[in-house]
Amino acid sequence: MTTINTKVAIIGAGCSGLKAANELLTLLDQRDVYVVEAQDRIGGRLFTDRTSSVHGLPYDLGAAWFHDCLDNAVLDYKLALGKFEVPRDGYFDEKDIVVYDRDGVVDLNGLNLNQILLDAEKFSEKYYYALLDHKDVPLKEIATRYIEKFDKLLTPQQKHYLVRMIRYLELWHGISWDVMSAKYGILQHEGRNLYNKEGFGRLPEELAKGVENILLSQPVKKIYRGGDKVRVVCQTGLTIEADYIIVTVPQSVLALDKDEVGGIEWIPSLPKNVTESLESIHFGALGKIVLEFDQVWWDYSQDRYTILPDYDAAPVPIEFTPENPPIPFQFPAYAINYSKVHDSPNKPSLVLLTQAPLTNYFEKYPEKAWEYYKPMLQKLSVTGNRPIPDPLQVLTTSWTQNPYFRGSYSAVHAGDDADGCIIQLSNEFPNVGLGLDSHVRFAGEHTILEGAGCVHGAWLSGMREAKFILKAFALKTSSKL
């Protein structure tokens, strides 16, 4: 068995881990930084599939947008490189979205539905921040409360559509509205959202160029902590002893029991306040389904399409099975006109976003995806009731089936402690988490408030931990002078 002695070991070669390594290597030598990764590739939840498409198109199966463009550190980095340009590499898919339901196109303007939706979201925001002691409830319930309070100000059609339209948030958080936190489910954007046509897979490739010691296929099984050195033991028997470690594995994996696949045994165990914080938040399952066709049968001039669920859609079960499959129009659907985004009219392609528990079902049974979505997508057809063609190819993500991810990113259910995990794992506060003097640090989208759940959040968290460690080394060096 091999033992490596180094200054910093980083667990995870995703965005946060590789960014931390880059920052550390501005002052440390290559032999001082090692990155271990459970997968046989770098990138984590950033993955651009450039080989599966029959049309030769790249598909981001993980993150795909630069969110909050007014203050997005990753976008700033890409622009500063001078190799990323809009519209060549980015696309603002902001054209007014077309909304359909079982009966066809929904008259958003005529029914003032967008304004009613904004009104309901503002009601939810005021409901919690005007009275902080209001109990968190699912998004489904807050929509009902809005309608009850303003019943006399709403038409029957507005009430009918609101409870269906507000479910668009499922395709942001990757969870269904009957469990989603109403308190934290409403989004506060910091600017526009830019689709990354280049593919986010380029980002880890760029970051990895400056890091020599990246060890793949090295799942971590044990971490010995508590002293001036931290010892990391991998499943292969590789051991790394370091002054500091940065743990960037997803919250879903940190919350696992040590005997589960992907689980890490901590010796001594993590403090109760840390383990409880990991259990106080859930993990979403935002997935994708790629449909490639031999012809365009939808309105090609549009960027995106929403298909509303039925008003009286069936209740959401914990999970679906082939014996108890999802019913078309049970969930909202969100489709991206991918060939238009890439200015490729001769390469017809739609990309659908999916939410749990649909994601879990289709990632386990990908052959069921087209059967479910076909009657919904039929509503997009410009040829009326003429049956739409079957796709040339159906691709699905597999995040929920991978034991080292188990989903997409952190998500808040009603009643979750949205800030608890961040506070405990960021190590930015005295007497919280493992403490400011701990040699175990955490990074990732689940450890930071700014950009939580996003690529730029992961990036900033990796930068945060690298700066902390570099400062600690500088203080130690100066104290010896």
Side-chain angles (χ1 to χ4, degrees):
M1 292 187 292
T2 302
T3 298
I4 296 172
N5 290 284
T6 189
K7 289 185 176 180
V8 185
I10 299 171
I11 303 175
C15 177
S16 58
L18 292 174
K19 178 57 181 173
N22 266 256
E23 288 292 318
L24 289 167
L25 289 169
T26 59
L27 294 178
L28 300 181
D29 294 332
Q30 289 286 347
R31 65 177 181 274
D32 296 329
V33 179
Y34 276 78
V35 181
V36 293
E37 166 59 48
Q39 306 291 300
D40 60 0
R41 63 171 182 84
I42 63 171
R45 284 162 280 171
L46 301 184
F47 178 59
T48 306
D49 185 339
R50 302 185 188 277
T51 61
S52 299
S53 171
V54 297
H55 293 320
L57 292 171
Y59 293 106
D60 263 327
L61 300 184
W65 281 270
F66 296 100
H67 294 300
D68 305 329
C69 286
L70 285 177
D71 190 18
N72 187 308
V74 178
L75 178 58
D76 292 343
Y77 161 80
K78 295 291 292 185
L79 293 173
L81 284 179
K83 298 179 180 179
F84 186 90
E85 298 178 2
V86 178
R88 184 191 66 190
D89 303 310
Y91 184 84
F92 285 107
D93 53 348
E94 297 172 330
K95 188 172 183 178
D96 287 347
I97 196 166
V98 183
V99 177
Y100 300 78
D101 69 359
R102 190 183 285 272
D103 298 321
V105 177
V106 177
D107 185 8
L108 298 180
N109 291 328
L111 296 172
N112 293 325
L113 294 178
N114 282 330
Q115 290 304 314
I116 297 300
L117 180 61
L118 290 173
D119 204 39
E121 292 178 345
K122 179 57 69 174
F123 168 79
S124 179
E125 181 183 332
K126 290 174 66 66
Y127 181 84
Y128 288 109
Y129 292 99
L131 292 172
L132 297 179
D133 60 343
H134 268 163
K135 179 183 177 182
D136 192 10
V137 298
L139 180 68
K140 181 178 182 179
E141 185 172 334
I142 207 71
T144 302
R145 292 187 185 187
Y146 168 77
I147 290 173
E148 289 174 348
K149 183 169 182 178
F150 298 101
D151 177 71
K152 295 181 179 180
L153 301 180
L154 301 169
T155 69
Q157 285 180 303
Q158 289 170 340
K159 297 174 197 175
H160 179 80
Y161 280 110
L162 171 65
V163 294
R164 301 157 71 193
M165 289 185 62
I166 201 168
R167 291 185 65 180
Y168 84 92
L169 289 164
E170 295 182 13
L171 283 316
W172 278 91
H173 298 282
I175 53 179
S176 63
W177 74 326
D178 61 318
V179 298
M180 184 191 308
S181 165
K183 185 175 183 178
Y184 297 101
I186 306 301
L187 300 167
Q188 303 295 331
H189 295 292
E190 298 292 334
R192 305 161 73 187
N193 298 305
L194 176 65
Y195 194 91
N196 185 358
K197 292 168 58 176
E198 179 187 57
F200 263 112
R202 292 277 186 252
L203 182 63
E205 291 171 4
E206 291 162 357
L207 293 175
K209 288 179 181 178
V211 185
E212 292 182 2
N213 298 311
I214 301 176
L215 309 179
L216 302 178
S217 302
Q218 295 288 348
V220 171
K221 291 302 297 177
K222 296 181 180 181
I223 297 176
Y224 295 84
R225 66 178 188 87
D228 291 337
K229 290 282 186 177
V230 185
R231 184 153 51 101
V232 176
V233 180
C234 298
Q235 188 173 302
T236 61
L238 172 69
T239 298
I240 301 179
E241 293 187 353
D243 297 299
Y244 288 91
I245 67 168
I246 303 176
V247 182
T248 74
V249 301
Q251 173 264 340
S252 56
V253 174
L254 283 176
L256 291 175
D257 182 88
K258 64 181 177 63
D259 295 322
E260 296 185 71
V261 177
I264 297 173
E265 180 180 3
W266 293 83
I267 306 170
S269 300
L270 291 172
K272 184 178 180 180
N273 56 324
V274 175
T275 57
E276 287 182 345
S277 75
L278 291 170
E279 296 169 355
S280 71
I281 193 171
H282 287 76
F283 210 64
L286 187 72
K288 295 181 183 177
I289 296 172
V290 177
L291 304 171
E292 296 189 313
F293 299 90
D294 61 358
Q295 60 183 289
V296 175
W297 45 264
W298 56 90
D299 181 355
Y300 189 80
S301 68
Q302 300 297 327
D303 295 333
R304 303 163 294 151
Y305 320 85
T306 290
I307 305 169
L308 299 181
D310 288 340
Y311 179 79
D312 54 352
V316 179
I318 295 176
E319 65 175 323
F320 289 109
T321 65
E323 295 72 33
N324 180 33
I327 305 166
F329 295 96
Q330 188 174 358
F331 293 84
Y334 179 85
I336 303 159
N337 188 359
Y338 200 81
S339 42
K340 181 172 185 290
V341 167
H342 281 268
D343 194 23
S344 301
N346 296 322
K347 300 178 179 180
S349 174
L350 295 173
V351 175
L352 295 162
L353 302 189
T354 63
Q355 64 278 64
L358 276 184
T359 301
N360 309 64
Y361 179 68
F362 294 135
E363 290 188 349
K364 190 173 184 179
Y365 305 103
E367 70 279 4
K368 301 291 186 181
W370 178 239
E371 176 185 336
Y372 172 82
Y373 279 109
K374 183 175 182 177
M376 299 179 71
L377 291 173
Q378 178 72 50
K379 303 304 173 182
L380 274 58
S381 175
V382 295
T383 61
N385 293 325
R386 196 165 100 198
I388 58 176
D390 291 335
L392 299 173
Q393 177 168 237
V394 178
L395 302 173
T396 66
T397 49
S398 59
W399 301 111
T400 61
Q401 303 303 299
N402 188 313
Y404 299 105
F405 296 115
R406 298 174 180 259
S408 54
Y409 44 75
S410 52
V412 183
H413 285 204
D416 282 359
D417 182 0
D419 301 322
C421 190
I422 293 172
I423 292 172
Q424 297 294 337
L425 297 184
S426 64
N427 282 352
E428 293 186 313
F429 309 95
N431 304 317
V432 172
L434 298 181
L436 290 173
D437 60 346
S438 173
H439 289 242
V440 176
R441 313 295 302 178
F442 293 95
E445 53 83 16
H446 56 291
T447 72
I448 192 166
L449 185 60
E450 181 183 352
C454 299
V455 178
H456 65 284
W459 170 284
L460 292 171
S461 71
M463 182 184 298
R464 175 193 69 205
E465 296 309 325
K467 287 183 176 179
F468 175 91
I469 292 172
L470 290 175
K471 182 178 179 180
F473 279 135
L475 290 173
K476 285 182 180 180
T477 301
S478 62
S479 66
K480 294 178 181 180
L481 297 179

